[in-house]
Amino acid sequence: MHKRDEPIRQKIIISAISCIEKSGLRGLTVRAIAKEAGVNVAAVNYYFGSKENLLDALMKQTLEHMLMDIREMMTGNPREMLKNIFTYLIGGAILYPNMTRAHLYDAFTANDYRGAFVKRINPLLDELFPLIRPALRVKGEAEGRALVVQMFYTGFFSAIMPDLFKKFWGADLRDPGTLARYIDTLLDAYLA
């Protein structure tokens, strides 16, 4: 593939993301992606070979982008670091709920933890853990790792289903101020 083909390839990936957000992963079709991108179906097949290859490319790209962004946040004060990471993760999942679900699809629907997201999140937490460990409420290794898991479960769960407890709580995580207070409360529970 030539370098001049990259903008078209990227346009198809961005269009696929848009289609996933509109219709979900199950409703994704090559025809819809082509229409959104302003290309024909043959172009999608030319650049990716199949819908599965396109999905692999877009999942890899969005995952790498997320990991790169998070790694850039992994400096400084542990509380501010975690606040930035959770604001990014939860805020991003609220903006792109179906992409978030797509990354976790196999884990949720088939109890299959071999996907790229699962394979990459654990090493990321291994990198993050020593940076935040001094700020955790517990000092033991196992207890500290358990707190990190609890924080991230809470973050992922609230990101994937922000309206689940809306009636009980009376607040909307889509509101930036509410999200900031929610994350502060989360961090207060886990950090010394």
Side-chain angles (χ1 to χ4, degrees), residues 21 90-98:
E21 283 307 315
I90 298 170
I94 288 170
L95 284 174
Y96 299 100
N98 284 333

Side-chain angles (χ1 to χ4, degrees), residues 59-165:
M59 298 303 257
K60 180 180 180 186
Q61 182 176 319
T62 56
L63 180 59
E64 291 303 320
H65 179 85
M66 180 197 75
L67 294 171
M68 181 183 69
D69 287 350
I70 290 173
R71 283 192 176 95
E72 288 176 6
M73 295 176 205
M74 290 171 51
T75 61
N77 173 307
R79 183 182 184 88
E80 287 306 310
M81 179 189 323
L82 287 169
K83 185 170 184 160
N84 291 335
I85 290 170
F86 282 118
T87 300
Y88 174 81
L89 287 174
I90 298 170
I94 288 170
L95 284 174
Y96 299 100
N98 284 333
M99 276 304 303
T100 303
R101 288 182 191 102
H103 277 288
L104 298 168
Y105 185 80
D106 289 337
F108 272 116
T109 62
N111 210 24
D112 181 354
Y113 296 94
R114 296 173 295 169
F117 183 86
V118 174
K119 286 181 180 176
R120 301 296 299 280
I121 195 67
N122 286 292
L124 179 72
L125 292 179
D126 280 332
E127 290 176 45
L128 180 64
F129 184 67
L131 302 174
I132 63 172
R133 185 176 178 184
L136 296 174
R137 286 195 175 273
V138 297
K139 297 302 174 198
E141 176 87 11
E143 296 87 357
R145 286 180 178 271
L147 285 184
V148 170
V149 168
Q150 290 172 14
M151 278 192 288
F152 276 83
Y153 263 128
T154 302
F156 286 140
F157 194 72
S158 58
I160 291 167
M161 298 190 304
D163 293 331
L164 184 64
F165 299 113

Side-chain angles (χ1 to χ4, degrees), residues 24-67:
L25 193 57
R26 295 178 117 187
L28 187 66
T29 66
V30 172
R31 187 172 310 285
I33 295 165
K35 182 177 179 182
E36 181 81 19
V39 300
N40 58 34
V41 171
V44 175
N45 290 325
Y46 170 77
Y47 288 104
F48 295 97
S50 68
K51 181 173 99 173
E52 291 73 25
N53 290 344
L54 170 57
L55 278 173
D56 287 344
L58 102 86
M59 298 303 257
K60 180 180 180 186
Q61 182 176 319
T62 56
L63 180 59
E64 291 303 320
H65 179 85
M66 180 197 75
L67 294 171

